[in-house]
Amino acid sequence: MTQHCGLIAVLGAPNAGKSTLVNALVGQKVAIVSAKAQTTRARLMGIALAKTDSAQTQIILADTPGLFEPKRRLDRAMVNAAWDGAAEADAILLVVDGRKKKLDYLEPILNSLKDRPERKILVLNKVDEVAKEPLLVSAQALAGPDEEGKAPFDEVFFISALTGDGVPELKERLAALMPEGPWHYPEDQVSDASERLLACEITREQLYRQLHDELPYDSTVRPESYTARKDGSVEIHQQIVIARDSQKGIVLGKGGSKLKAIGEAARKELAELLGVPVHLYLHVKVDEKWSDDKEIYEELGLEWVR
């Protein structure tokens, strides 16, 4: 039985469902998911396995930040991380929200992909929420041949990352594209993210989930310490960083109730993911210039940009 291993870059606009798709392909949660745009900030590798009678395949999925018009230093670093994720990939998946009828917002991404040498696969996502006819119109508009008769995508898939429709077929195809070669990660590893970073991402997901639109995008979660106790449990201290003092009351809630709820939900999920009891301690810090802090970029694995 031969081993195969390769890299797939998962690109798309914010909220296209890239992280949900990566989680579905891996078979468990490795990336946080939120209705808030630009939730993914750093490039994270999800590791999926596919096995047949003749081959064992490891598919390394680069879950990249959404591609959008950058306005701030953090935005530029995120977009750079997305395109870096496409470098040297065996194939690029462009994930598109199938519910959207107007597709002109994708033009900058399509132009950037046009001359890239990698195999390009269009994935129309969220098909469970759309009628068939509009989906076919979108597929034709995005994947139809240009004036020279050249198709911008090699293949098109219709999926729902949330329900799993079409995901097994997509995974099977990706596995078939992976070149023969040794695996890059152990069989039981599902992500390249450290437990320290994963813990911060889980807390940030709860922050967005529980505060919705009350808390702007200008917030992050930083690790302070991550310690294994003698009894086998883990003690984690984290800092929730916000940009304005007026946001502190939103995060804390009445009598600290909201912060407690965020911490409890994150602690419970972390305990399930890590398989050990977790003691999670959160506190809130106000820093107007946190998005210009070089240390935060290093924690996220992002390149510092001017």
mmCIF file of all heavy atoms in Angstrom, residues 107-158:
data_model
loop_
_atom_site.group_PDB
_atom_site.id
_atom_site.type_symbol
_atom_site.label_atom_id
_atom_site.label_comp_id
_atom_site.label_asym_id
_atom_site.label_seq_id
_atom_site.Cartn_x
_atom_site.Cartn_y
_atom_site.Cartn_z
ATOM 1 N N GLU A 107 -14.193 39.274 -8.331
ATOM 2 C CA GLU A 107 -13.349 39.602 -9.477
ATOM 3 C C GLU A 107 -11.866 39.747 -9.129
ATOM 4 O O GLU A 107 -11.003 39.189 -9.828
ATOM 5 C CB GLU A 107 -13.853 40.884 -10.158
ATOM 6 C CG GLU A 107 -13.306 41.044 -11.559
ATOM 7 C CD GLU A 107 -14.033 42.136 -12.323
ATOM 8 O OE1 GLU A 107 -15.270 42.226 -12.235
ATOM 9 O OE2 GLU A 107 -13.336 42.896 -13.003
ATOM 10 N N PRO A 108 -11.506 40.461 -8.037
ATOM 11 C CA PRO A 108 -10.077 40.566 -7.695
ATOM 12 C C PRO A 108 -9.441 39.205 -7.405
ATOM 13 O O PRO A 108 -8.289 38.964 -7.771
ATOM 14 C CB PRO A 108 -10.072 41.459 -6.440
ATOM 15 C CG PRO A 108 -11.362 42.207 -6.491
ATOM 16 C CD PRO A 108 -12.347 41.271 -7.122
ATOM 17 N N ILE A 109 -10.190 38.303 -6.738
ATOM 18 C CA ILE A 109 -9.667 36.971 -6.431
ATOM 19 C C ILE A 109 -9.479 36.176 -7.713
ATOM 20 O O ILE A 109 -8.449 35.530 -7.931
ATOM 21 C CB ILE A 109 -10.609 36.214 -5.474
ATOM 22 C CG1 ILE A 109 -10.799 37.003 -4.167
ATOM 23 C CG2 ILE A 109 -10.085 34.820 -5.180
ATOM 24 C CD1 ILE A 109 -11.826 36.387 -3.224
ATOM 25 N N LEU A 110 -10.478 36.227 -8.604
ATOM 26 C CA LEU A 110 -10.414 35.491 -9.870
ATOM 27 C C LEU A 110 -9.250 35.972 -10.732
ATOM 28 O O LEU A 110 -8.551 35.175 -11.363
ATOM 29 C CB LEU A 110 -11.735 35.621 -10.625
ATOM 30 C CG LEU A 110 -12.950 34.987 -9.945
ATOM 31 C CD1 LEU A 110 -14.232 35.359 -10.684
ATOM 32 C CD2 LEU A 110 -12.811 33.463 -9.870
ATOM 33 N N ASN A 111 -9.032 37.282 -10.731
ATOM 34 C CA ASN A 111 -7.911 37.837 -11.501
ATOM 35 C C ASN A 111 -6.574 37.372 -10.950
ATOM 36 O O ASN A 111 -5.634 37.096 -11.704
ATOM 37 C CB ASN A 111 -7.977 39.369 -11.506
ATOM 38 C CG ASN A 111 -9.086 39.894 -12.400
ATOM 39 O OD1 ASN A 111 -9.513 39.213 -13.331
ATOM 40 N ND2 ASN A 111 -9.576 41.096 -12.116
ATOM 41 N N SER A 112 -6.489 37.280 -9.616
ATOM 42 C CA SER A 112 -5.237 36.831 -8.987
ATOM 43 C C SER A 112 -4.981 35.349 -9.239
ATOM 44 O O SER A 112 -3.833 34.910 -9.331
ATOM 45 C CB SER A 112 -5.282 37.089 -7.474
ATOM 46 O OG SER A 112 -5.371 38.473 -7.203
ATOM 47 N N LEU A 113 -6.066 34.575 -9.372
ATOM 48 C CA LEU A 113 -5.932 33.133 -9.595
ATOM 49 C C LEU A 113 -5.634 32.789 -11.056
ATOM 50 O O LEU A 113 -5.072 31.726 -11.346
ATOM 51 C CB LEU A 113 -7.221 32.415 -9.191
ATOM 52 C CG LEU A 113 -7.507 32.244 -7.701
ATOM 53 C CD1 LEU A 113 -8.894 31.634 -7.506
ATOM 54 C CD2 LEU A 113 -6.454 31.358 -7.047
ATOM 55 N N LYS A 114 -6.010 33.684 -11.952
ATOM 56 C CA LYS A 114 -6.037 33.389 -13.389
ATOM 57 C C LYS A 114 -4.736 32.778 -13.919
ATOM 58 O O LYS A 114 -4.754 31.789 -14.649
ATOM 59 C CB LYS A 114 -6.382 34.673 -14.163
ATOM 60 C CG LYS A 114 -6.606 34.450 -15.641
ATOM 61 C CD LYS A 114 -7.272 35.670 -16.262
ATOM 62 C CE LYS A 114 -6.465 36.942 -16.040
ATOM 63 N NZ LYS A 114 -7.056 38.101 -16.733
ATOM 64 N N ASP A 115 -3.611 33.361 -13.557
ATOM 65 C CA ASP A 115 -2.338 32.918 -14.126
ATOM 66 C C ASP A 115 -1.553 31.996 -13.206
ATOM 67 O O ASP A 115 -0.379 31.697 -13.477
ATOM 68 C CB ASP A 115 -1.480 34.141 -14.495
ATOM 69 C CG ASP A 115 -2.138 34.990 -15.568
ATOM 70 O OD1 ASP A 115 -2.738 34.400 -16.490
ATOM 71 O OD2 ASP A 115 -2.074 36.229 -15.470
ATOM 72 N N ARG A 116 -2.179 31.556 -12.120
ATOM 73 C CA ARG A 116 -1.465 30.654 -11.209
ATOM 74 C C ARG A 116 -1.403 29.246 -11.820
ATOM 75 O O ARG A 116 -2.353 28.803 -12.469
ATOM 76 C CB ARG A 116 -2.145 30.608 -9.842
ATOM 77 C CG ARG A 116 -2.094 31.936 -9.095
ATOM 78 C CD ARG A 116 -2.575 31.763 -7.672
ATOM 79 N NE ARG A 116 -1.632 30.976 -6.895
ATOM 80 C CZ ARG A 116 -0.707 31.498 -6.098
ATOM 81 N NH1 ARG A 116 -0.597 32.803 -5.979
ATOM 82 N NH2 ARG A 116 0.103 30.720 -5.414
ATOM 83 N N PRO A 117 -0.294 28.537 -11.609
ATOM 84 C CA PRO A 117 -0.119 27.229 -12.255
ATOM 85 C C PRO A 117 -0.837 26.077 -11.552
ATOM 86 O O PRO A 117 -1.014 25.009 -12.146
ATOM 87 C CB PRO A 117 1.398 27.017 -12.178
ATOM 88 C CG PRO A 117 1.811 27.757 -10.927
ATOM 89 C CD PRO A 117 0.907 28.959 -10.859
ATOM 90 N N GLU A 118 -1.255 26.282 -10.296
ATOM 91 C CA GLU A 118 -1.845 25.182 -9.544
ATOM 92 C C GLU A 118 -3.193 24.757 -10.141
ATOM 93 O O GLU A 118 -3.877 25.535 -10.794
ATOM 94 C CB GLU A 118 -2.072 25.579 -8.072
ATOM 95 C CG GLU A 118 -0.822 25.962 -7.312
ATOM 96 C CD GLU A 118 -0.492 27.434 -7.419
ATOM 97 O OE1 GLU A 118 -1.178 28.170 -8.173
ATOM 98 O OE2 GLU A 118 0.461 27.867 -6.752
ATOM 99 N N ARG A 119 -3.558 23.504 -9.900
ATOM 100 C CA ARG A 119 -4.885 23.029 -10.287
ATOM 101 C C ARG A 119 -5.912 23.796 -9.469
ATOM 102 O O ARG A 119 -5.771 23.939 -8.261
ATOM 103 C CB ARG A 119 -5.006 21.528 -10.024
ATOM 104 C CG ARG A 119 -6.292 20.924 -10.570
ATOM 105 C CD ARG A 119 -6.300 19.418 -10.400
ATOM 106 N NE ARG A 119 -7.426 18.827 -11.113
ATOM 107 C CZ ARG A 119 -7.416 18.499 -12.393
ATOM 108 N NH1 ARG A 119 -6.320 18.706 -13.101
ATOM 109 N NH2 ARG A 119 -8.475 17.962 -12.983
ATOM 110 N N LYS A 120 -6.960 24.294 -10.107
ATOM 111 C CA LYS A 120 -7.947 25.132 -9.419
ATOM 112 C C LYS A 120 -9.321 24.465 -9.433
ATOM 113 O O LYS A 120 -9.800 24.040 -10.487
ATOM 114 C CB LYS A 120 -7.993 26.518 -10.067
ATOM 115 C CG LYS A 120 -6.699 27.310 -9.878
ATOM 116 C CD LYS A 120 -6.752 28.657 -10.521
ATOM 117 C CE LYS A 120 -6.467 28.624 -12.008
ATOM 118 N NZ LYS A 120 -5.046 28.391 -12.312
ATOM 119 N N ILE A 121 -9.910 24.393 -8.254
ATOM 120 C CA ILE A 121 -11.208 23.743 -8.094
ATOM 121 C C ILE A 121 -12.189 24.737 -7.487
ATOM 122 O O ILE A 121 -11.917 25.335 -6.440
ATOM 123 C CB ILE A 121 -11.094 22.500 -7.186
ATOM 124 C CG1 ILE A 121 -10.117 21.489 -7.800
ATOM 125 C CG2 ILE A 121 -12.458 21.858 -6.965
ATOM 126 C CD1 ILE A 121 -9.777 20.320 -6.893
ATOM 127 N N LEU A 122 -13.320 24.921 -8.145
ATOM 128 C CA LEU A 122 -14.373 25.796 -7.633
ATOM 129 C C LEU A 122 -15.310 24.978 -6.750
ATOM 130 O O LEU A 122 -15.804 23.925 -7.168
ATOM 131 C CB LEU A 122 -15.147 26.430 -8.791
ATOM 132 C CG LEU A 122 -16.372 27.273 -8.415
ATOM 133 C CD1 LEU A 122 -15.965 28.510 -7.620
ATOM 134 C CD2 LEU A 122 -17.142 27.676 -9.673
ATOM 135 N N VAL A 123 -15.548 25.467 -5.539
ATOM 136 C CA VAL A 123 -16.456 24.785 -4.618
ATOM 137 C C VAL A 123 -17.590 25.741 -4.266
ATOM 138 O O VAL A 123 -17.377 26.739 -3.563
ATOM 139 C CB VAL A 123 -15.727 24.339 -3.331
ATOM 140 C CG1 VAL A 123 -16.710 23.698 -2.364
ATOM 141 C CG2 VAL A 123 -14.602 23.367 -3.661
ATOM 142 N N LEU A 124 -18.775 25.474 -4.778
ATOM 143 C CA LEU A 124 -19.949 26.275 -4.422
ATOM 144 C C LEU A 124 -20.549 25.674 -3.166
ATOM 145 O O LEU A 124 -21.022 24.535 -3.155
ATOM 146 C CB LEU A 124 -20.957 26.282 -5.569
ATOM 147 C CG LEU A 124 -20.585 27.209 -6.735
ATOM 148 C CD1 LEU A 124 -21.367 26.872 -7.970
ATOM 149 C CD2 LEU A 124 -20.787 28.665 -6.349
ATOM 150 N N ASN A 125 -20.512 26.454 -2.088
ATOM 151 C CA ASN A 125 -20.915 25.988 -0.765
ATOM 152 C C ASN A 125 -22.314 26.495 -0.395
ATOM 153 O O ASN A 125 -22.854 27.383 -1.047
ATOM 154 C CB ASN A 125 -19.874 26.482 0.261
ATOM 155 C CG ASN A 125 -20.071 25.866 1.627
ATOM 156 O OD1 ASN A 125 -20.659 24.795 1.780
ATOM 157 N ND2 ASN A 125 -19.578 26.531 2.650
ATOM 158 N N LYS A 126 -22.872 25.910 0.639
ATOM 159 C CA LYS A 126 -24.188 26.282 1.190
ATOM 160 C C LYS A 126 -25.316 25.987 0.201
ATOM 161 O O LYS A 126 -26.320 26.709 0.138
ATOM 162 C CB LYS A 126 -24.196 27.758 1.630
ATOM 163 C CG LYS A 126 -23.026 28.110 2.558
ATOM 164 C CD LYS A 126 -23.060 29.540 3.059
ATOM 165 C CE LYS A 126 -21.828 29.845 3.893
ATOM 166 N NZ LYS A 126 -21.796 31.190 4.476
ATOM 167 N N VAL A 127 -25.143 24.904 -0.573
ATOM 168 C CA VAL A 127 -26.134 24.575 -1.599
ATOM 169 C C VAL A 127 -27.452 24.103 -0.992
ATOM 170 O O VAL A 127 -28.474 24.054 -1.688
ATOM 171 C CB VAL A 127 -25.601 23.500 -2.570
ATOM 172 C CG1 VAL A 127 -24.365 24.000 -3.288
ATOM 173 C CG2 VAL A 127 -25.306 22.187 -1.847
ATOM 174 N N ASP A 128 -27.422 23.752 0.300
ATOM 175 C CA ASP A 128 -28.662 23.333 0.962
ATOM 176 C C ASP A 128 -29.631 24.491 1.150
ATOM 177 O O ASP A 128 -30.798 24.280 1.463
ATOM 178 C CB ASP A 128 -28.346 22.707 2.327
ATOM 179 C CG ASP A 128 -27.517 23.623 3.212
ATOM 180 O OD1 ASP A 128 -26.498 24.160 2.740
ATOM 181 O OD2 ASP A 128 -27.882 23.804 4.388
ATOM 182 N N GLU A 129 -29.157 25.717 0.932
ATOM 183 C CA GLU A 129 -29.990 26.907 1.136
ATOM 184 C C GLU A 129 -30.378 27.581 -0.174
ATOM 185 O O GLU A 129 -30.958 28.665 -0.172
ATOM 186 C CB GLU A 129 -29.253 27.911 2.028
ATOM 187 C CG GLU A 129 -28.893 27.370 3.409
ATOM 188 C CD GLU A 129 -28.168 28.396 4.254
ATOM 189 O OE1 GLU A 129 -28.584 29.579 4.219
ATOM 190 O OE2 GLU A 129 -27.201 28.033 4.926
ATOM 191 N N VAL A 130 -30.068 26.943 -1.311
ATOM 192 C CA VAL A 130 -30.298 27.568 -2.617
ATOM 193 C C VAL A 130 -30.967 26.589 -3.571
ATOM 194 O O VAL A 130 -30.691 25.388 -3.535
ATOM 195 C CB VAL A 130 -28.952 28.024 -3.252
ATOM 196 C CG1 VAL A 130 -29.207 29.000 -4.406
ATOM 197 C CG2 VAL A 130 -28.032 28.648 -2.238
ATOM 198 N N ALA A 131 -31.826 27.122 -4.432
ATOM 199 C CA ALA A 131 -32.437 26.297 -5.480
ATOM 200 C C ALA A 131 -31.374 25.920 -6.511
ATOM 201 O O ALA A 131 -30.343 26.586 -6.644
ATOM 202 C CB ALA A 131 -33.572 27.066 -6.156
ATOM 203 N N LYS A 132 -31.622 24.881 -7.267
ATOM 204 C CA LYS A 132 -30.634 24.340 -8.201
ATOM 205 C C LYS A 132 -30.305 25.307 -9.341
ATOM 206 O O LYS A 132 -29.139 25.483 -9.715
ATOM 207 C CB LYS A 132 -31.151 23.014 -8.767
ATOM 208 C CG LYS A 132 -30.138 22.273 -9.620
ATOM 209 C CD LYS A 132 -30.700 20.929 -10.072
ATOM 210 C CE LYS A 132 -29.690 20.191 -10.940
ATOM 211 N NZ LYS A 132 -30.217 18.882 -11.386
ATOM 212 N N GLU A 133 -31.322 25.933 -9.914
ATOM 213 C CA GLU A 133 -31.109 26.787 -11.086
ATOM 214 C C GLU A 133 -30.131 27.939 -10.829
ATOM 215 O O GLU A 133 -29.190 28.139 -11.617
ATOM 216 C CB GLU A 133 -32.448 27.332 -11.604
ATOM 217 C CG GLU A 133 -33.319 26.290 -12.294
ATOM 218 C CD GLU A 133 -32.616 25.647 -13.482
ATOM 219 O OE1 GLU A 133 -31.937 26.377 -14.233
ATOM 220 O OE2 GLU A 133 -32.719 24.426 -13.648
ATOM 221 N N PRO A 134 -30.306 28.721 -9.746
ATOM 222 C CA PRO A 134 -29.343 29.810 -9.488
ATOM 223 C C PRO A 134 -27.915 29.298 -9.289
ATOM 224 O O PRO A 134 -26.960 29.974 -9.665
ATOM 225 C CB PRO A 134 -29.868 30.457 -8.200
ATOM 226 C CG PRO A 134 -31.310 30.089 -8.144
ATOM 227 C CD PRO A 134 -31.407 28.733 -8.760
ATOM 228 N N LEU A 135 -27.774 28.115 -8.718
ATOM 229 C CA LEU A 135 -26.444 27.538 -8.523
ATOM 230 C C LEU A 135 -25.771 27.253 -9.856
ATOM 231 O O LEU A 135 -24.575 27.521 -10.043
ATOM 232 C CB LEU A 135 -26.530 26.241 -7.713
ATOM 233 C CG LEU A 135 -26.705 26.382 -6.204
ATOM 234 C CD1 LEU A 135 -27.006 25.025 -5.589
ATOM 235 C CD2 LEU A 135 -25.449 26.973 -5.573
ATOM 236 N N LEU A 136 -26.540 26.702 -10.791
ATOM 237 C CA LEU A 136 -25.991 26.407 -12.104
ATOM 238 C C LEU A 136 -25.603 27.678 -12.849
ATOM 239 O O LEU A 136 -24.603 27.713 -13.566
ATOM 240 C CB LEU A 136 -27.003 25.598 -12.922
ATOM 241 C CG LEU A 136 -27.316 24.191 -12.387
ATOM 242 C CD1 LEU A 136 -28.434 23.546 -13.196
ATOM 243 C CD2 LEU A 136 -26.067 23.315 -12.412
ATOM 244 N N VAL A 137 -26.405 28.724 -12.664
ATOM 245 C CA VAL A 137 -26.082 30.027 -13.272
ATOM 246 C C VAL A 137 -24.763 30.555 -12.715
ATOM 247 O O VAL A 137 -23.895 31.032 -13.454
ATOM 248 C CB VAL A 137 -27.227 31.036 -13.023
ATOM 249 C CG1 VAL A 137 -26.797 32.441 -13.455
ATOM 250 C CG2 VAL A 137 -28.487 30.616 -13.778
ATOM 251 N N SER A 138 -24.591 30.466 -11.385
ATOM 252 C CA SER A 138 -23.353 30.926 -10.743
ATOM 253 C C SER A 138 -22.159 30.112 -11.215
ATOM 254 O O SER A 138 -21.080 30.652 -11.486
ATOM 255 C CB SER A 138 -23.472 30.824 -9.217
ATOM 256 O OG SER A 138 -24.461 31.693 -8.729
ATOM 257 N N ALA A 139 -22.348 28.794 -11.311
ATOM 258 C CA ALA A 139 -21.255 27.926 -11.748
ATOM 259 C C ALA A 139 -20.814 28.270 -13.161
ATOM 260 O O ALA A 139 -19.613 28.330 -13.466
ATOM 261 C CB ALA A 139 -21.692 26.468 -11.663
ATOM 262 N N GLN A 140 -21.794 28.529 -14.026
ATOM 263 C CA GLN A 140 -21.479 28.888 -15.410
ATOM 264 C C GLN A 140 -20.765 30.229 -15.476
ATOM 265 O O GLN A 140 -19.800 30.412 -16.230
ATOM 266 C CB GLN A 140 -22.756 28.926 -16.250
ATOM 267 C CG GLN A 140 -22.542 29.297 -17.718
ATOM 268 C CD GLN A 140 -21.641 28.324 -18.450
ATOM 269 O OE1 GLN A 140 -21.629 27.133 -18.152
ATOM 270 N NE2 GLN A 140 -20.866 28.838 -19.404
ATOM 271 N N ALA A 141 -21.230 31.181 -14.667
ATOM 272 C CA ALA A 141 -20.628 32.522 -14.656
ATOM 273 C C ALA A 141 -19.185 32.483 -14.166
ATOM 274 O O ALA A 141 -18.326 33.214 -14.674
ATOM 275 C CB ALA A 141 -21.458 33.456 -13.778
ATOM 276 N N LEU A 142 -18.899 31.629 -13.181
ATOM 277 C CA LEU A 142 -17.568 31.585 -12.586
ATOM 278 C C LEU A 142 -16.623 30.633 -13.311
ATOM 279 O O LEU A 142 -15.420 30.896 -13.402
ATOM 280 C CB LEU A 142 -17.663 31.164 -11.114
ATOM 281 C CG LEU A 142 -18.337 32.160 -10.167
ATOM 282 C CD1 LEU A 142 -18.604 31.511 -8.815
ATOM 283 C CD2 LEU A 142 -17.468 33.406 -9.990
ATOM 284 N N ALA A 143 -17.148 29.517 -13.787
ATOM 285 C CA ALA A 143 -16.284 28.471 -14.342
ATOM 286 C C ALA A 143 -16.382 28.320 -15.853
ATOM 287 O O ALA A 143 -15.669 27.499 -16.435
ATOM 288 C CB ALA A 143 -16.611 27.129 -13.676
ATOM 289 N N GLY A 144 -17.259 29.092 -16.474
ATOM 290 C CA GLY A 144 -17.392 29.001 -17.928
ATOM 291 C C GLY A 144 -16.145 29.498 -18.640
ATOM 292 O O GLY A 144 -15.377 30.300 -18.091
ATOM 293 N N PRO A 145 -15.897 29.046 -19.873
ATOM 294 C CA PRO A 145 -14.684 29.447 -20.600
ATOM 295 C C PRO A 145 -14.670 30.933 -20.928
ATOM 296 O O PRO A 145 -15.724 31.552 -21.110
ATOM 297 C CB PRO A 145 -14.754 28.597 -21.879
ATOM 298 C CG PRO A 145 -16.184 28.202 -22.015
ATOM 299 C CD PRO A 145 -16.733 28.109 -20.625
ATOM 300 N N ASP A 146 -13.457 31.511 -20.989
ATOM 301 C CA ASP A 146 -13.306 32.923 -21.326
ATOM 302 C C ASP A 146 -13.322 33.091 -22.850
ATOM 303 O O ASP A 146 -13.619 32.148 -23.595
ATOM 304 C CB ASP A 146 -12.021 33.488 -20.718
ATOM 305 C CG ASP A 146 -10.770 32.730 -21.189
ATOM 306 O OD1 ASP A 146 -10.844 32.043 -22.227
ATOM 307 O OD2 ASP A 146 -9.731 32.827 -20.512
ATOM 308 N N GLU A 147 -12.975 34.292 -23.321
ATOM 309 C CA GLU A 147 -13.025 34.585 -24.759
ATOM 310 C C GLU A 147 -12.076 33.701 -25.555
ATOM 311 O O GLU A 147 -12.281 33.454 -26.751
ATOM 312 C CB GLU A 147 -12.693 36.059 -24.984
ATOM 313 C CG GLU A 147 -13.748 37.000 -24.392
ATOM 314 C CD GLU A 147 -13.329 38.450 -24.503
ATOM 315 O OE1 GLU A 147 -12.195 38.697 -24.955
ATOM 316 O OE2 GLU A 147 -14.134 39.322 -24.128
ATOM 317 N N GLU A 148 -11.010 33.241 -24.908
ATOM 318 C CA GLU A 148 -10.037 32.390 -25.580
ATOM 319 C C GLU A 148 -10.406 30.906 -25.462
ATOM 320 O O GLU A 148 -9.651 30.034 -25.909
ATOM 321 C CB GLU A 148 -8.640 32.624 -24.994
ATOM 322 C CG GLU A 148 -8.156 34.062 -25.160
ATOM 323 C CD GLU A 148 -6.855 34.318 -24.424
ATOM 324 O OE1 GLU A 148 -6.346 33.367 -23.783
ATOM 325 O OE2 GLU A 148 -6.363 35.454 -24.475
ATOM 326 N N GLY A 149 -11.561 30.646 -24.825
ATOM 327 C CA GLY A 149 -12.003 29.267 -24.682
ATOM 328 C C GLY A 149 -11.365 28.530 -23.525
ATOM 329 O O GLY A 149 -11.488 27.305 -23.412
ATOM 330 N N LYS A 150 -10.669 29.262 -22.643
ATOM 331 C CA LYS A 150 -9.974 28.643 -21.514
ATOM 332 C C LYS A 150 -10.846 28.716 -20.260
ATOM 333 O O LYS A 150 -11.332 29.787 -19.890
ATOM 334 C CB LYS A 150 -8.639 29.352 -21.272
ATOM 335 C CG LYS A 150 -7.791 28.694 -20.199
ATOM 336 C CD LYS A 150 -6.485 29.445 -20.008
ATOM 337 C CE LYS A 150 -5.671 28.827 -18.885
ATOM 338 N NZ LYS A 150 -4.413 29.570 -18.630
ATOM 339 N N ALA A 151 -11.045 27.580 -19.622
ATOM 340 C CA ALA A 151 -11.848 27.544 -18.397
ATOM 341 C C ALA A 151 -10.979 27.928 -17.198
ATOM 342 O O ALA A 151 -9.851 27.443 -17.072
ATOM 343 C CB ALA A 151 -12.435 26.160 -18.187
ATOM 344 N N PRO A 152 -11.476 28.817 -16.323
ATOM 345 C CA PRO A 152 -10.677 29.265 -15.171
ATOM 346 C C PRO A 152 -10.526 28.206 -14.082
ATOM 347 O O PRO A 152 -9.650 28.315 -13.236
ATOM 348 C CB PRO A 152 -11.446 30.483 -14.659
ATOM 349 C CG PRO A 152 -12.855 30.270 -15.122
ATOM 350 C CD PRO A 152 -12.763 29.520 -16.408
ATOM 351 N N PHE A 153 -11.396 27.180 -14.088
ATOM 352 C CA PHE A 153 -11.321 26.117 -13.083
ATOM 353 C C PHE A 153 -11.289 24.753 -13.762
ATOM 354 O O PHE A 153 -11.933 24.538 -14.790
ATOM 355 C CB PHE A 153 -12.513 26.197 -12.121
ATOM 356 C CG PHE A 153 -12.503 27.420 -11.255
ATOM 357 C CD1 PHE A 153 -13.199 28.561 -11.627
ATOM 358 C CD2 PHE A 153 -11.781 27.442 -10.067
ATOM 359 C CE1 PHE A 153 -13.175 29.697 -10.846
ATOM 360 C CE2 PHE A 153 -11.755 28.569 -9.275
ATOM 361 C CZ PHE A 153 -12.445 29.707 -9.664
ATOM 362 N N ASP A 154 -10.545 23.862 -13.158
ATOM 363 C CA ASP A 154 -10.432 22.511 -13.700
ATOM 364 C C ASP A 154 -11.651 21.663 -13.356
ATOM 365 O O ASP A 154 -12.025 20.768 -14.110
ATOM 366 C CB ASP A 154 -9.167 21.832 -13.165
ATOM 367 C CG ASP A 154 -7.904 22.586 -13.574
ATOM 368 O OD1 ASP A 154 -7.511 22.464 -14.739
ATOM 369 O OD2 ASP A 154 -7.333 23.303 -12.733
ATOM 370 N N GLU A 155 -12.255 21.942 -12.193
ATOM 371 C CA GLU A 155 -13.398 21.162 -11.740
ATOM 372 C C GLU A 155 -14.315 22.036 -10.893
ATOM 373 O O GLU A 155 -13.879 23.046 -10.323
ATOM 374 C CB GLU A 155 -12.940 19.963 -10.894
ATOM 375 C CG GLU A 155 -12.043 18.986 -11.627
ATOM 376 C CD GLU A 155 -11.468 17.935 -10.697
ATOM 377 O OE1 GLU A 155 -12.234 17.049 -10.256
ATOM 378 O OE2 GLU A 155 -10.264 17.994 -10.408
ATOM 379 N N VAL A 156 -15.574 21.627 -10.780
ATOM 380 C CA VAL A 156 -16.566 22.344 -9.970
ATOM 381 C C VAL A 156 -17.274 21.334 -9.063
ATOM 382 O O VAL A 156 -17.678 20.252 -9.526
ATOM 383 C CB VAL A 156 -17.611 23.069 -10.842
ATOM 384 C CG1 VAL A 156 -18.614 23.813 -9.958
ATOM 385 C CG2 VAL A 156 -16.935 24.032 -11.810
ATOM 386 N N PHE A 157 -17.421 21.699 -7.784
ATOM 387 C CA PHE A 157 -18.150 20.854 -6.840
ATOM 388 C C PHE A 157 -19.251 21.676 -6.169
ATOM 389 O O PHE A 157 -19.063 22.866 -5.885
ATOM 390 C CB PHE A 157 -17.212 20.287 -5.765
ATOM 391 C CG PHE A 157 -16.384 19.130 -6.240
ATOM 392 C CD1 PHE A 157 -15.212 19.350 -6.953
ATOM 393 C CD2 PHE A 157 -16.779 17.822 -5.995
ATOM 394 C CE1 PHE A 157 -14.443 18.290 -7.399
ATOM 395 C CE2 PHE A 157 -16.019 16.754 -6.451
ATOM 396 C CZ PHE A 157 -14.847 16.985 -7.146
ATOM 397 N N PHE A 158 -20.376 21.040 -5.930
ATOM 398 C CA PHE A 158 -21.492 21.663 -5.208
ATOM 399 C C PHE A 158 -21.603 20.950 -3.856
ATOM 400 O O PHE A 158 -21.820 19.731 -3.817
ATOM 401 C CB PHE A 158 -22.799 21.495 -5.992
ATOM 402 C CG PHE A 158 -22.782 22.151 -7.347
ATOM 403 C CD1 PHE A 158 -22.297 21.469 -8.457
ATOM 404 C CD2 PHE A 158 -23.240 23.447 -7.513
ATOM 405 C CE1 PHE A 158 -22.285 22.054 -9.709
ATOM 406 C CE2 PHE A 158 -23.237 24.051 -8.771
ATOM 407 C CZ PHE A 158 -22.756 23.363 -9.864
#
